[in-house]
Every structure is written in structure tokens, then in C-alpha cells.
Amino acid sequence: MSQKAGYSPSFKRPSEIMRMRRKRAQSIAGVSPSPSSTDSPGQSSSSPACVRPFSPGPLFNSQNRSGGGTKRRNPFANIENTYSPNKKFIIHNDDGNIEAVNTRRDNEEDMSTKTDCQGVFSFSSSLTEAEKQERGEVSSKKCLTFSEDDSLFEEEEENAKSPLLKSPQAITPASIAPASIAPPVCTEFPADWSLKTRLLFTSPLTMSWSEQPKAQEEALGLSQHCRAQFISLPHSLQDPRSCPDLRCAFQQSLVYWQHPSLPWIPLFPRINVERNFKGKSTPWAQDVSLQQSLMSEWSVSLSSLYGLLKARLCPYFYLCSYQFTVLFRAAGLGGSNTITALISPTTRGIREAMKAEGIEFSLPLVEERRRSKGQQNVAEQQGEEQDLKECSELTEGVDYPAGDEGGNDADNDEDSSFSWLKEMGIQDKIKKHDNIIIQLRKEGQAVSLDHKPESVVCVEGPHTFTLINFLINCKSLVAAAGSQAGLPPTLLAPVAFRGATVQTLKARSVNVKSQVGSSFQNISSLEITGPILPSSLHTITTLLRPSQKGNFSATLYTHAPTAVMNTHTSTQQCTGGSVDLSGCGLHPASVQQLQQPSSLGKSALTHINMNNYSYTWKN
């Protein structure tokens, strides 16, 4: 570019800067400066029209300025500050090609380059239309964009893939993405087979309707539960507090069945909760006859539950001991067409005892990890075979010395290390150390699974009946010492069975104020505690949908040993509707949810959120 009038490319000295400051102070005070003081090197006393007196900034005519003196120009300004040599334009030619125009000068210095990078954007935003026409490189052509980075314009495809690099003029209506389509409405959350200890629901609408039911409503809810009768509710309720059907259905969803029942001792959970039994009266701890009586009644209840499960009159039940938890599911649930049982966590002793009883079982997570490793090993083996093939092609024709096969040295050394045993004739009586090490490694791997989620055991089909007999006769099922000594495991089921006691979950509603931004919003919460079964969780959320008009959130607290119950372990897939579970005592919607194969893996749901009648969840 040619140097324009009114600019001084030289650098101002400090003395000149101080002189200009004194000049500015005099002009502000209303004192007219002397003609000699107005002249400065590189600048005339009279500025021509349409000359920029400071940089960067818009042009103006000197005769239009009035007042206390003219505004001084920037002493640090350089002609290179007002025009970016890095500015590069993308021009559309008439033939459809894209041409890159670079106005960068080849003889620019490093210092001016740094100055250009800092001032290019601030200056480009202050240009007027007159200046653009005056500079006028591409005023009559379509300009897409410019950038300081030359690499952004090396290829046309990068601009096409990244619309953020385009200017608003370059983005055509065809390149603009269509409006985002609303996400599909999810009316159900995945089945969660873990036991919950606490549920906390929150909603902007009140939940006080769930508290203090009338005697008639509570009795009707219990009666409907025993008779497996269900009330259909409308899609939305205007006033839930005045709806008796909703209150009855809520009381019905809180009912579960338990054996044994000791009101002064909490019998769930049973793992690592010795503190709950300390200081409690346990008369059976030292009385053997009382322990036998408790175990006899417990065996009858367990046999009754399995009979109901086999007849599809009970969908599932849990056995909670002080060491592990067992989930029995009827055929047709969890994506399996046979009865399944999941035990978690297990130890090597329990697994060996089950093998001794002839119970066939599988370790789903261990097998899944083994399959994944097998696939990885197959890929690695294929790569090694390819390398060996190439190696053999390279070494083809090479003569090895006599007795050297190129890879049998290790085997020869191993045989020679035991040659002295053969000479003594005792090689058959002493095992090789390698076999001992392999055996120890296998045992170490088996023991390392103990008390971990990977130790979950799956039993399917007729072997579940053998498992019932094993549990009844297993001596280690009941603690021999400690605070739970002599106490049978807890049986939990959603339907009645022999020797069971009807129980209800505890519900409590509280209204609180939560700060949202700068204001406070009324939030209603509903807390439910107890052994919350999968069907109870689904039924409660189904009732909250119309009562809270499709807007609520829930925090779920899982009993940790049962989180792995969501593992999909069935090898025999169940087709939809192949097993009739209409008489199992659950709501048809709950049965339909529990029939689906589990998709949570070894994790459990932690949060459920419903917004505008659509579910989202976290696990």
C-alpha cells in the first residue's frame, strides 16, 4: 500500500508525547495553544479534508469539528495498524470456483505482524461504507469471510464442514440446519431389579394428598391389593386431594409381604447392619429349640413361595441373609422363559457347596469379561499369525544347525531340568512346579471374586428347585455367632404367601422452599422408606404421573448388594406374550415392564425425572 497523507510512520519520542499532553491540557482548560506548539514532526498544522486525525477511528472533515481544539492523533499509531496485511478474502468467481486473495506483503517485519494480529478485528469493525468502497478490493463480489489463520482457507471442504467459519452473508438458507425435532416421549423407564431402601420424590405441585388416609381408604387399598384389583385413573387430576381413588391406589402400592416379622427388629437390610441388632432382645440366640422352630416355619414359607412362583401366581421374591441376597423370578420375567435365580455376593465356599449338590450355575459377568477378552485375543492372534507368516517368508531357505529347530530350546531345557528325576525313577511321584503354580493361580482367581459384583451367580430352570433344597439345608445360611445368630433370612414378596405378614412402606410428605435464582419456589417432597420392591417403584411412579401432571423427579437409594441383579444373564430368550402372567397379582403395566430384558447391566437407577409426561433417568 502507498503511504497516505496525515500518517507518520516514525515512532514518537517521549518529549513529543509530553508536549502533546500539555497541549491537550491547555485545550481542555480553554487556553488557545500557540501556532508553534501545534506543529509536530510528521504532521502539518492544517489537516486536509477526510483525513483520519487519529487511528483507529472513523474519518471526519476537519471543518466540521468545533469546540475546544481538534482531537489529537494517536502517537503510537502506525499505518500498519489501520490495514491488516493478514486480511484474506474468499471470492466466488463467475465460474463457481473459489479464489483466495491474500493482501499480505512479503517484506513486512515481525514487529508489524504482531501489531496487525492485535488490531485487525477492532479496525475491521470500525470501517464505514465509504472506506470499504475506497479500499474496494471486493465490493462487487461475494465475500465469505476472512481470518488471521491461513490454514483455514487451504481447502474448500473445511469451510463446507464448519459453518461456524462462515459469515452471515455466506450461510445460505439451504446450509442452515432445520429446527431441532422434539425428542421422542419415553413413557417408561427400564426395569430395575435392585431393592431400594429409600425414595425421595420432589414436585412443584403439592403431595400432601399422600398423607393421613381415611380408615375407609386404607382398608379399601388393602382389600384391592389382596384381590389384585386395580383402579384406572385419568391422564391428569385437577385436585388430587379430593380424589379417593388416587389415595386408595397409593395405599395399595405401599403393601408388601414379609417373613419372619419381628416388630422390634428391622429385618431389612441384613448385610453389614449388625448395629441395628445391638441392644435388641434376641431370645433365640441361646435357645436351640427356638431356633429350630423358627427355621421350620421359615422352610415352609420358602417352599410356599417357590410353589407360587412355579405356578406363576407370584412374580418374584427375595431371600435376604446376613451373607448374600437371592432373587427368584418367574418364567417370562427378565427376558427369560424359565425360572431364574440370582445370588449376590457369593464366596468360593458357597460356589463349591453348590457344585457338590449338583447345582449347575454360571457367572454372567465373568463370562462376559472372558468373551470380551477372547475377542481381543482373537484379533491379536490374527495379527501375530500375519507377522509370523511374513517372518517365515523372510526366513525361508535359512539352514539351522543340526538339532536346532529355532524355537524348541525352552522345551528341551524343561525336559532336561527333570532328567535327574527320571534317572532316579521318581518322576511320576513328583509334580512339576508349573502345574502347582497354575493350580494356585486358578484358586487365587476364584477367591478374588468373593464379595464382589462379579461373583453374582445365575441358576436357571430345574436347578432352581435344587437350589431351594440347598438353601433349606444349608447350615451357613444362618449366622452361628454375632447379633444375627439363629435368625432366619428375610423373605420379601409382592403377594401373600404362607406364614407371611402384611407390611406397608412408610410415606411422609413435606413442603419446603427452594431457592431458584433470586426467588424462592415452593417444592413438595414425598419420602418413602422400607424394602421397596421393583413393582412398588413402578406403581408409585405411575400414580404420580396424573397427580403431579407429568412433572416430578425422584432420587433412588439402592441396597448395594442387589444392584448387580440387573445383569442380563438368560441364555433362553423369551418372546413377548409367550408366558401368561395375568394371575401373578401385579398391575398389567408393571408386568409388561418387568418382562423386558434388563438394560442396566450391573448398575441400578439413581435418578428418575419426568418432564411433560416423558421419562429421563440416570444409573
Side-chain angles (χ1 to χ4, degrees):
M1 289 180 59
S2 62
Q3 184 171 341
K4 294 185 179 182
Y7 291 95
S8 177
S10 62
F11 190 85
K12 296 298 181 182
R13 298 179 179 275
S15 59
E16 296 173 355
I17 295 175
M18 297 303 298
R19 188 184 302 112
M20 289 182 180
R21 289 186 179 180
R22 289 194 297 270
K23 172 186 172 182
R24 183 179 181 184
Q26 292 175 2
S27 63
I28 294 175
V31 179
S32 176
S34 60
S36 61
S37 64
T38 59
D39 296 332
S40 61
Q43 182 179 0
S44 61
S45 59
S46 61
S47 178
C50 296
V51 173
R52 187 192 308 276
F54 63 97
S55 177
L59 296 173
F60 56 84
N61 297 329
S62 59
Q63 63 269 17
N64 294 337
R65 291 182 59 85
S66 61
T70 60
K71 186 174 181 180
R72 68 177 181 87
R73 63 179 298 278
N74 186 2
F76 298 97
N78 193 310
I79 190 170
E80 302 294 337
N81 283 18
T82 60
Y83 181 76
S84 173
N86 285 347
K87 186 181 298 182
K88 177 178 284 189
F89 294 88
I90 298 297
I91 303 174
H92 281 281
N93 295 330
D94 296 335
D95 56 357
N97 298 327
I98 294 179
E99 180 181 359
V101 180
N102 190 357
T103 61
R104 191 169 197 171
R105 297 188 306 172
D106 296 333
N107 59 349
E108 63 181 356
E109 299 179 354
D110 296 339
M111 185 60 70
S112 62
T113 303
K114 295 181 180 180
T115 308
D116 298 338
C117 294
Q118 295 177 358
V120 59
F121 293 108
S122 61
F123 170 69
S124 61
S125 61
S126 62
L127 291 178
T128 61
E129 293 296 333
E131 287 180 284
K132 292 179 180 178
Q133 294 178 1
E134 183 178 349
R135 296 191 180 274
E137 289 88 359
V138 289
S139 59
S140 62
K141 297 181 179 181
K142 296 181 180 180
C143 172
L144 289 180
T145 183
F146 67 90
S147 172
E148 295 177 338
D149 188 5
D150 296 343
S151 63
L152 296 177
F153 300 92
E154 293 179 356
E155 296 180 2
E156 179 183 356
E157 295 180 1
E158 293 182 8
N159 287 332
K161 292 180 181 179
S162 180
L164 296 178
L165 299 177
K166 297 182 180 179
S167 63
Q169 294 85 354
I171 302 177
T172 60
S175 64
I176 300 176
S180 59
I181 303 175
V185 177
C186 186
T187 58
E188 287 292 348
F189 55 90
D192 189 350
W193 288 100
S194 63
L195 287 170
K196 309 297 180 183
T197 58
R198 181 170 174 255
L199 302 179
L200 182 61
F201 296 93
T202 57
S203 175
L205 301 179
T206 181
M207 293 184 177
S208 59
W209 54 266
S210 60
E211 278 192 335
Q212 298 178 354
K214 298 179 180 179
Q216 183 179 2
E217 295 172 347
E218 186 175 1
L220 185 58
L222 181 60
S223 175
Q224 291 175 352
H225 172 83
C226 296
R227 299 176 181 178
Q229 297 176 352
F230 304 98
I231 300 175
S232 59
L233 298 174
H235 185 265
S236 178
L237 295 175
Q238 297 299 329
D239 189 7
R241 289 176 293 184
S242 62
C243 181
D245 291 341
L246 174 64
R247 299 161 67 91
C248 293
F250 182 71
Q251 294 299 317
Q252 179 180 356
S253 65
L254 300 179
V255 178
Y256 67 97
W257 297 82
Q258 174 182 317
H259 179 85
S261 178
L262 304 174
W264 68 95
I265 295 179
L267 296 179
F268 177 82
R270 296 289 298 272
I271 300 177
N272 298 329
V273 288
E274 281 72 14
R275 63 182 182 277
N276 294 340
F277 293 86
K278 290 183 178 179
K280 306 294 184 180
S281 176
T282 56
W284 56 84
Q286 304 299 330
D287 193 340
V288 178
S289 60
L290 185 55
Q291 292 180 8
Q292 293 177 353
S293 178
L294 290 175
M295 284 301 301
S296 176
E297 290 295 325
W298 180 85
S299 301
V300 172
S301 297
L302 180 60
S303 301
S304 172
L305 267 176
Y306 186 80
L308 293 172
L309 189 78
K310 192 174 181 180
R312 303 189 191 93
L313 299 177
C314 175
Y316 61 89
F317 67 90
Y318 290 85
L319 184 151
C320 305
S321 72
Y322 78 104
Q323 282 187 323
F324 53 83
T325 303
V326 187
L327 166 62
F328 286 87
R329 294 186 299 201
L333 296 184
S336 174
N337 57 4
T338 60
I339 299 177
T340 58
L342 292 171
I343 310 174
S344 175
T346 61
T347 61
R348 182 192 173 196
I350 295 175
R351 295 192 295 269
E352 293 295 336
M354 292 172 61
K355 288 181 181 179
E357 292 293 329
I359 302 174
E360 295 183 4
F361 60 88
S362 61
L363 298 171
L365 296 181
V366 175
E367 293 178 357
E368 181 180 356
R369 183 175 59 182
R370 190 176 301 165
R371 284 194 299 268
S372 62
K373 287 185 178 181
Q375 295 176 357
Q376 184 178 1
N377 293 337
V378 168
E380 293 178 356
Q381 186 177 0
Q382 291 177 354
E384 291 177 358
E385 290 178 355
Q386 183 67 22
D387 295 340
L388 290 175
K389 184 178 180 181
E390 295 176 356
C391 237
S392 62
E393 293 175 356
L394 294 175
T395 59
E396 186 176 358
V398 178
D399 295 332
Y400 290 98
D404 188 3
E405 299 298 334
N408 298 328
D409 293 338
D411 297 337
N412 295 334
D413 293 340
E414 184 178 357
D415 294 337
S416 62
S417 62
F418 290 93
S419 60
W420 63 277
L421 294 176
K422 295 181 180 180
E423 295 176 359
M424 297 178 63
I426 59 173
Q427 71 276 7
D428 297 334
K429 298 181 180 180
I430 298 179
K431 296 181 180 179
K432 295 183 179 181
H433 65 285
D434 293 341
N435 296 335
I436 299 175
I437 292 175
I438 292 173
Q439 184 66 22
L440 291 176
R441 286 179 180 176
K442 289 182 179 179
E443 294 179 358
Q445 292 176 358
V447 174
S448 64
L449 297 177
D450 293 354
H451 305 291
K452 293 183 179 180
E454 288 76 12
S455 66
V456 60
V457 167
C458 177
V459 182
E460 294 183 329
H463 294 280
T464 55
F465 178 74
T466 311
L467 178 62
I468 290 292
N469 294 330
F470 170 77
L471 295 173
I472 291 176
N473 300 318
C474 182
K475 300 297 181 182
S476 60
L477 189 66
V478 180
S483 58
Q484 301 188 45
L487 185 62
T490 305
L491 300 176
L492 300 172
V495 296
F497 59 95
R498 184 174 177 179
T501 304
V502 62
Q503 303 285 343
T504 57
L505 302 172
K506 296 180 181 179
R508 184 171 65 98
S509 176
V510 178
N511 293 327
V512 297
K513 288 185 177 292
S514 177
Q515 186 174 2
V516 179
S518 59
S519 60
F520 289 89
Q521 183 180 1
N522 291 327
I523 299 294
S524 181
S525 64
L526 173 63
E527 182 184 25
I528 299 176
T529 57
I532 302 165
L533 305 178
S535 56
S536 299
L537 173 63
H538 182 265
T539 305
I540 293 172
T541 54
T542 304
L543 294 177
L544 291 178
R545 181 185 305 175
S547 64
Q548 308 309 122
K549 297 182 179 179
N551 291 279
F552 67 87
S553 61
T555 303
L556 316 178
Y557 298 86
T558 305
H559 183 41
T562 63
V564 76
M565 300 294 184
N566 291 311
T567 303
H568 181 56
T569 59
S570 178
T571 57
Q572 300 178 358
Q573 299 295 328
C574 177
T575 58
S578 60
V579 181
D580 183 17
L581 293 171
S582 58
C584 67
L586 297 184
H587 193 280
S590 300
V591 174
Q592 185 177 2
Q593 184 207 34
L594 297 178
Q595 282 179 333
Q596 304 300 322
S598 179
S599 60
L600 299 176
K602 61 179 181 179
S603 61
L605 293 176
T606 57
H607 293 84
I608 295 177
N609 183 41
M610 171 170 273
N611 186 14
N612 196 18
Y613 297 96
S614 180
Y615 277 113
T616 57
W617 58 85
K618 295 180 181 179
N619 59 332

